[in-house]
Amino acid sequence: MNYLNNKSKCNIKGANLLISNKLFAPSVHCSYYAVFQKIKYLYIYKSEISYEDFHEETQQHKGSSHTYLINKFVTMYGRMTNDKYKKRYLRNQIRELKASRQEADYDNKEVSSEISIEVLKKSKKIISNINKLI
């Protein structure tokens, strides 16, 4: 399962490289997936379930697998930190990242360097905060 954790780190590096090469939309994609892979890794690790069991669980859930994981992780995070404010803040931050990724991937609009840098900073901050749970 460490592969997801490693992929998360690679996506942060990839986002930095993409920004350096003025490829802003794909950098947003990498920044979001760095967080998504990190929370998936941590949720499965802390829940002590297998990747296969989690995959089966998400298959039974109707709707977005990303939203499902985000909600499950944020709930777990809230229990671990025992802080409703931090829980709400984390949920909002991840939802904003997801919205930015969807916009960068699917919308017919340019992604600026400022947006891509902001999304990368937000991703790094989220990852730093959740690394404290490990």
Side-chain angles (χ1 to χ4, degrees), residues 71-114:
N71 289 335
K72 295 292 267 185
F73 179 79
V74 169
T75 299
M76 180 186 76
Y77 181 82
R79 284 193 306 266
M80 294 173 77
T81 61
N82 202 25
D83 186 328
K84 290 179 184 181
Y85 171 76
K86 284 183 181 180
K87 176 183 170 182
R88 188 175 325 125
Y89 181 77
L90 178 66
R91 175 177 280 124
N92 290 340
Q93 292 296 297
I94 295 173
R95 285 180 177 168
E96 287 175 17
L97 278 182
K98 184 180 176 193
S100 295
R101 195 270 309 169
Q102 289 173 324
E103 188 175 284
D105 284 353
Y106 305 122
D107 289 357
N108 185 29
K109 76 193 258 194
E110 185 177 1
V111 176
S112 69
S113 62
E114 293 82 15

Side-chain angles (χ1 to χ4, degrees), residues 32-33 36 39-40 54-55 58-59 61-72 98:
Y32 167 76
Y33 272 97
F36 183 78
I39 66 174
K40 187 172 186 180
F54 179 74
H55 180 72
T58 58
Q59 292 297 311
H61 171 73
K62 305 251 191 262
S64 165
S65 61
H66 286 228
T67 300
Y68 180 75
L69 173 62
I70 292 165
N71 289 335
K72 295 292 267 185
K98 184 180 176 193

